[in-house]
Structures are given as structure tokens and as C-alpha cells.
Amino acid sequence: MLISVTVNGQERTADVEPRTLLCYLVRDELSLTGTHVGCDTTSCGACTVLLDGVPVKSCTVLAVQVDGQELMTVEGLEQAGDLHPLQKGFWESHGLQCGFCTPGMLMTTYALLERNPDPTEDEIRRAISGNLCRCTGYQNIVKAVQYAAPLVREKREAAREVAR
Amino acid sequence: MFPNAFEYQSPTSLDEAVALLVEHGYEAKILAGGQSLLPMMKLRVAAPTVLVDLGRVPGLDARTENDRELSLGAMTRHASLEWDEDLWARYPLLRETAAWIADPLVRNRGTMAGSLAHADPAADWGAALLALHGSVTVDGPNGSRRVGADDFFVDVFTTRLEPDEVLTAVHIPRPEHDVFATHLKLERKVGDFAVVAVSLQVEIDGDGRIRRPGIGLAGVGPTSLHATAAASLLEGQPLSLELIREAAAKASAATDPASDRRGSADFKRDMVRLFVERGLRSIESRFDEGRRRSA
């Protein structure tokens, strides 16, 4: 079945079997291997991508379901060589050890900061409760998001200034 | 992991969806949010040969409200009930329950109607719909019908839905008095199905008497259960510790749990008693506090 999706701003088409999962469309057909497949059982959240701006577990969505929709993967965070504040936060705050959960953590927290640019620690922890880290790095993941939040707010302010 | 091969159908009208179900009968499965069905298909516990995706049927994400009830279309996702502040005051149990389901990512995708149609006896929405005295609209080749929550659940993973019918909307009566609700859940880890869950809603009239009480139970029987004997004990009475304890014991006695790795039957029965008592006491203290503040 021929489907077309907008991935990180680019229109892409692919011919997929109905049973193809979204995560395999992203990795195998679109060659965007930043999205990881961890548990493959809707538990770990490593495969999280944004579907029309909403974070979902891409191992539990069929590729054919997203025909015509907009996807954002971890590859879409960096803009013109500039890391997203969250990526800087994970770097600066040691928000990862093995890095396997990181793409999912980034996409989930990206959506969090879009909705709520000034989250409390509790709100951050609740937001990532569907993303598992087995290096027990939650402490630093929370710090990474706290590092990024004011930068995201500044960026928004700056964008607003320009618009003015 | 990936599912068995299947034929994917993406109807653009409800009539078309029903026609597909009529054509394929038991071979077809309806896909809404897919957060239960797709994992089951990947594990090959389910292997439908035809999937009928409701995602492109217009109008199924609609929400309407009149002076009698709130109606939620079949594609209403858990997250929208968790985050829509507009609903919290009139329908607090929706938010209380939604926040306990799976994890935030699953809630962004899964639907309330899908969970009800799936009818896992440990699911949160079944208990909540019973506590809310809700009902569902079912559409099929012979038209549309309403099924009340008390009548909807038949057995484990079995409801009144026929193979050629679609659950298209969920309805919740609008409270007539001050409304109080809570959802209590025992789970082994974040996002798990309930070992035991209790969904509670009561209205309290101007004289401090309970109206339209509902006590829904999950994980303690072959279906979601409505502790009707316990609820009718509350009807028309003011909340008191003695009454709460009596209702909690009655609710516990209405259960039929199985002993398994999540706990013994006795343990689950006692957790129901504890949760009903704890929930009603928290409602009582919130009611008292509201009274003090307005006095």
C-alpha cells in the first residue's frame, strides 16, 4: 500500500504492507535510524515519535494509519547544525549513559515543553513515565529537561520579538 | 515483532464500516487507537484477517453536551479526557480515571470506547462507566441502539456488541447536584492493568444527602462489576463513617476475584473494601471542607 507522510518537514512516500509498524517504516523504509526499537511491546517508549505533534509509541501504530499525517523524529530536533536545547541539556547534564532510551526521552520531553515550557519536576517525571531508562539515569534526565526549559522559553521569546 | 498479514480497510463513513463488518463477520476487527489490539496482534494472540480502521470515519471524535448528558465519540482518546479542563468540574471521574490508564504515550493514542469494547475485566474505563451510570451507542446493519453500562459487559473480553456492530459513542449523565469522584488503583508498576481498581462517583444534594451513587470495580470478577447493593445503601443518606464502612463491606462481598500472581482472592477482596472506604472518606472530607468554606 502506497502511503505518503511528512517527516521532519519533508514529504516522503513508501510502499508498505499493512502490517508494517510505524517504527519500521521510519527505520527501514525512510532510513531514519535515530528512532530506536526497544521492547517492541508498548512498554519502553524508546520508539517514541511525534505524530501530528503528539508523542506516540511507534511500535504500536501501523504505518498505514499515518498516511497523510505529519511525523517528527529525533533527527528533526537539530536545526541547521544547532542542537535543540533538550539535546544540549542531555549533553550538559549527562542525561544518558548507553543512549538507547534517549531518542524517545527527547521526543516525549520535546512535546512536554511545547505544551508546558515551565514544568515542575513532578510534571517532568509524570511526562516521562512511559519512557524507561535502564541505566537508572532518571535523575539526570530530569535535570536535562530542567536545563532545556529556560532555553526553550528564551527561544520562544526571541521568536516573538522577531515576529514583532 | 509484527502481526500476521491482514487486509487493511480504512472506510470514510460509518455505513461503509458497518458494511465491511457485515461482509467479514468474525474475521474482521475494528481498529481505533490500537493500544490493546496491536500488541495482541504482535503477540499473535489475535489474528484478524481484516482490520477496519475507524481513524478516517468523520465525526467519531465529536463531543456533544446537552442538559442531560455528555456524549463522547468513539475516537475520543484518553489524553483528551485527562487534559480538557472544561470537563473537570462536571465530569471529574473522567479525568481521575484517564490519568491512571497505561502511560502518557499510550493515553495519547488509546481510546475510551476501544477500551470498553475490548472489555478487559481489569480495565479502568469499565469500572468508571459503571460508576457514572453511563451508556454506549452501538451502530450496526439494523440501525442504532443504546446499551446501558450495567447491561454491556457479558464476560471476559465479551460485551453485547455483535460482530457486525460498532461502538460509536459513550454517554455520561450530567450530574444534577455537586459531584465528587475518585479512582483508586493498585498496580504492580506504572502503566499496568489494575490488580484491583475502584471507581467512585456520588452526587450530594443541598441537604447533604447522596444522590446517584456509583461504585465500579475492576480486576475482581469476569467483567467490570457494579457494586449495586453497596451503592443503594448510600442513596439518600448523608455520608458517615459507619455508612461508609458498611458500604465498603458490601462492595467487597459483591466481588468474585481469582487468586493469581497478582494476589490472592482474599487480598483483592480486602483491597476493594479498603479502596471503597478510603475513596468515600476522601469524598466526605472534600464535601465537609467545601461546606466549611461556603459557611
Side-chain angles (χ1 to χ4, degrees):
Chain A
M1 200 180 144
L2 204 60
I3 61 167
S4 89
V5 286
T6 307
V7 186
N8 304 327
Q10 265 192 318
E11 178 116 5
R12 302 282 297 267
T13 57
D15 191 10
V16 295
E17 256 193 281
R19 60 174 165 171
T20 306
L21 301 168
L22 178 57
C23 55
Y24 295 111
L25 167 75
V26 168
R27 287 179 56 86
D28 299 346
E29 304 296 325
L30 307 178
S31 304
L32 294 167
T33 52
T35 300
H36 292 165
V37 179
C39 69
D40 214 348
T41 56
T42 332
S43 303
C44 78
C47 65
T48 303
V49 300
L50 302 192
L51 180 56
D52 287 343
V54 177
V56 300
K57 293 180 174 175
S58 64
C59 76
T60 314
V61 177
L62 299 172
V64 289
Q65 283 179 286
V66 308
D67 186 20
Q69 288 183 275
E70 201 164 309
L71 283 178
M72 181 174 167
T73 67
V74 69
E75 287 90 346
L77 285 176
E78 184 190 313
Q79 295 291 327
D82 225 8
L83 290 182
H84 185 274
L86 275 163
Q87 292 172 304
K88 287 181 189 152
F90 274 72
W91 174 281
E92 291 297 334
S93 311
H94 192 182
L96 61 138
Q97 285 183 41
C98 84
F100 201 87
C101 72
T102 312
M105 288 287 180
L106 285 167
M107 298 322 287
T108 296
T109 53
Y110 176 88
L112 168 70
L113 294 184
E114 286 291 300
R115 179 164 50 81
N116 175 7
D118 193 10
T120 63
E121 180 181 338
D122 185 59
E123 286 169 335
I124 296 169
R125 288 183 181 273
R126 278 174 196 279
I128 60 169
S129 60
N131 295 81
L132 303 183
C133 165
R134 294 297 79 172
C135 304
T136 66
Y138 296 110
Q139 206 67 21
N140 286 349
I141 290 169
V142 172
K143 281 187 195 152
V145 179
Q146 287 169 329
Y147 176 99
L151 298 178
V152 167
R153 292 199 297 273
E154 264 170 47
K155 240 170 114 174
R156 267 197 197 182
E157 277 304 309
R160 227 171 268 150
E161 283 296 316
V162 171
R164 229 176 266 152
Chain B
M1 266 197 310
F2 44 89
N4 276 332
F6 55 84
E7 182 188 325
Y8 174 77
Q9 293 285 354
S10 161
T12 51
S13 75
L14 192 57
D15 287 346
E16 203 186 323
V18 170
L20 285 162
L21 295 176
V22 170
E23 183 187 344
H24 297 287
Y26 277 105
E27 292 298 313
K29 262 307 221 182
I30 294 170
L31 175 65
Q35 301 301 287
S36 296
L37 180 59
L38 295 178
M40 287 172 77
M41 289 172 64
K42 286 163 70 180
L43 295 168
R44 313 279 171 117
V45 176
T49 53
V50 180
L51 267 196
V52 180
D53 185 0
L54 295 186
R56 289 172 215 281
V57 177
L60 286 184
D61 56 354
R63 174 190 303 171
T64 57
E65 195 181 352
N66 57 31
D67 48 9
R68 281 178 300 113
E69 63 182 7
L70 170 73
S71 298
L72 302 162
M75 290 303 290
T76 302
R77 302 190 197 272
H78 310 305
S80 73
L81 300 174
E82 182 183 5
W83 293 107
D84 193 339
E85 296 182 29
D86 183 45
L87 292 176
W88 295 353
R90 293 182 309 290
Y91 304 99
L93 190 57
L94 294 179
R95 182 195 190 214
E96 293 280 330
T97 307
W100 276 106
I101 292 168
D103 63 55
L105 305 169
V106 170
R107 295 202 285 276
N108 281 340
R109 193 80 192 143
T111 66
M112 180 190 195
S115 166
L116 292 170
H118 182 51
D120 189 313
D124 298 284
W125 279 131
L129 193 73
L130 289 164
L132 289 161
H133 303 277
S135 59
V136 298
T137 293
V138 171
D139 281 272
N142 304 317
S144 190
R145 64 191 175 107
R146 271 277 185 129
V147 185
D150 280 318
D151 205 28
F152 183 67
F153 300 105
V154 176
D155 207 337
V156 183
F157 298 119
T158 309
T159 69
R160 292 277 170 222
L161 281 168
E162 297 295 331
D164 55 4
E165 288 182 319
V166 188
L167 198 172
T168 48
V170 181
H171 310 279
I172 294 150
R174 188 182 169 107
E176 290 166 9
H177 309 283
D178 286 348
V179 61
F180 298 85
T182 184
H183 188 82
L184 300 98
K185 180 174 179 177
L186 179 70
E187 53 185 8
R188 297 178 301 177
K189 59 181 172 63
V190 170
D192 203 1
F193 274 92
V195 178
V196 169
V198 172
S199 235
L200 291 170
Q201 176 163 298
V202 302
E203 294 174 37
I204 302 184
D205 69 16
D207 300 328
R209 292 179 190 282
I210 297 167
R211 300 294 170 198
R212 204 150 50 175
I215 305 175
L217 311 174
V220 287
T223 64
S224 309
L225 298 178
H226 195 177
T228 45
S232 56
L233 205 61
L234 300 174
E235 177 72 45
Q237 304 292 318
L239 274 176
S240 69
L241 185 54
E242 198 187 339
L243 183 71
I244 287 172
R245 290 209 165 130
E246 212 183 320
K250 267 230 153 63
S252 173
T255 62
D256 181 22
S259 293
D260 56 23
R261 281 181 303 173
R262 293 167 185 236
S264 68
D266 283 345
F267 167 68
K268 294 179 188 178
R269 229 177 264 126
D270 204 46
M271 283 308 297
V272 168
R273 182 194 58 75
L274 184 77
F275 276 170
V276 172
E277 180 175 328
R278 196 179 284 172
L280 288 174
R281 289 187 75 167
S282 85
I283 286 171
E284 185 188 24
S285 70
R286 270 183 280 161
F287 172 70
D288 288 345
E289 195 187 320
R291 261 206 167 167
R292 264 199 305 279
R293 230 183 286 138
S294 62

